[in-house]
Amino acid sequence: MLFLYHIGKPSLYGSLTCQGIGLDGIPEVTASEGFIVNEINKKSIHISCPKESASSKFLAPYTTFSRIHTKSITCLDISSGGGLGVSSSTDGTMKIWQASNGELRRVLEGHVFDVNCCRFFPSGLVVLSGGMDAQLKIWSAEDASCVVTFKGHKGGILDTAIVDRGRNVVSGSRDGTARLWDCGRSACLGVLADCGSSINGVAVGAADNSINLGSPEQMPSEREVGTEAKMLLLAREDKKLQCLGLQSRQPVFLFIGSDAFNCCTFLSGFLLLAGTQDGNIYQLDVRSPGAPVQVIHRSGAPVLSLLSFRDGFIASQGDGSCFIVQQDLDYVTELTGADCDPVYKVATWEKQIYTCCRDGLVRRYQLSDL
């Protein structure tokens, strides 16, 4: 079944029919009136609708890892060298695995209750995690030992960001605060923001020279490393997207969206994306944040993750959709396989994209399959 949806216009419906398998092992597929099958191989199909000047590529997973977790996978990340993956699940576990084949390498045990977020430090040898137990932990990927535990939040930690090489990290919590931590001394360097509303997503980015980040009210600690000329973005439950100077703690802007903000990311030194619970992806320019550059709305399902990718971005939603938008192309690449299960997180390494889903599967897509 195909359908093309344009806001304010009637949807166009169509279908695909498989006529059989060719001698090269590739299906022979035709589309109903109004749609054209432009290209097909074993892993992808490119379909267009000339009347509406629209086209999409649909890419199937290259491999699927089903044995890492037994329940929903809430977060994942891939190491900087592409060799390892880390993921957390509602089965109560956090695991490190071989990115090439999903083979289990380590189990990271120590959080009480669910682990909400996990990511590799730039070295690829260390993992940062945040849990419903309000604790932030740093782990060795080599021997699974917990080397640091940060305590101070009063509610579950929902997202983290790493500053530069990782001497400092940022956390956002259900308690409404974003905090800056010193990894070397396992100490809190300060509360960056106290919003009075759950912080669902955080992002740190280098600011363009034209952006005024303000000046700190007091001399920054010598333990702050790499916070200057950085912006901090907070995706908040109260429909607000907040940006401040990471070192100055001074406000840059406050944008009010259509619903709770779930996630955010920087595309450049002045462009950013943020996704809402009602399916909007806002693209904003920090230099003039009053009105969005554009608002992308593909469905009413929650936008769960956003990731800058090449000259565009990857987004995933609560209805199972996961797609790549590239700025110089007039079509979208759809990453298929999740059906209607939410895709919670996306991670990339070179030409490979990894997703984690409520169905308990990690899917790996190969862009060379396009």
Side-chain angles (χ1 to χ4, degrees), residues 255-332:
F255 177 83
I256 299 173
S258 56
D259 204 345
F261 280 98
N262 292 329
C263 52
C264 54
T265 192
F266 286 101
L267 294 176
S268 72
F270 53 86
L271 282 178
L272 60 92
L273 292 175
T276 60
Q277 185 67 14
D278 61 358
N280 284 328
I281 299 172
Y282 290 90
Q283 185 176 0
L284 297 179
D285 188 325
V286 181
R287 300 166 300 185
S288 54
V293 177
Q294 63 174 333
V295 182
I296 299 163
H297 184 94
R298 305 199 52 213
S299 78
V303 181
L304 300 177
S305 77
L306 290 165
L307 181 66
S308 174
F309 183 68
R310 296 185 179 176
D311 54 358
F313 65 91
I314 307 174
S316 72
Q317 293 188 256
D319 58 3
S321 64
C322 186
F323 53 94
I324 309 169
V325 176
Q326 286 184 280
Q327 304 292 6
D328 62 336
L329 298 175
D330 58 355
Y331 66 82
V332 169

Side-chain angles (χ1 to χ4, degrees), residues 130-151:
M132 285 303 285
D133 55 8
Q135 295 183 63
L136 200 61
K137 288 179 179 285
I138 296 176
W139 311 79
S140 162
E142 296 175 303
D143 65 8
S145 61
C146 177
V147 290
V148 175
T149 297
F150 300 115
K151 294 182 181 178

Side-chain angles (χ1 to χ4, degrees), residues 62-73:
Y62 182 77
T63 42
T64 300
F65 305 144
S66 58
R67 297 168 63 177
I68 300 172
H69 294 283
T70 57
K71 291 185 180 174
S72 279
I73 304 173

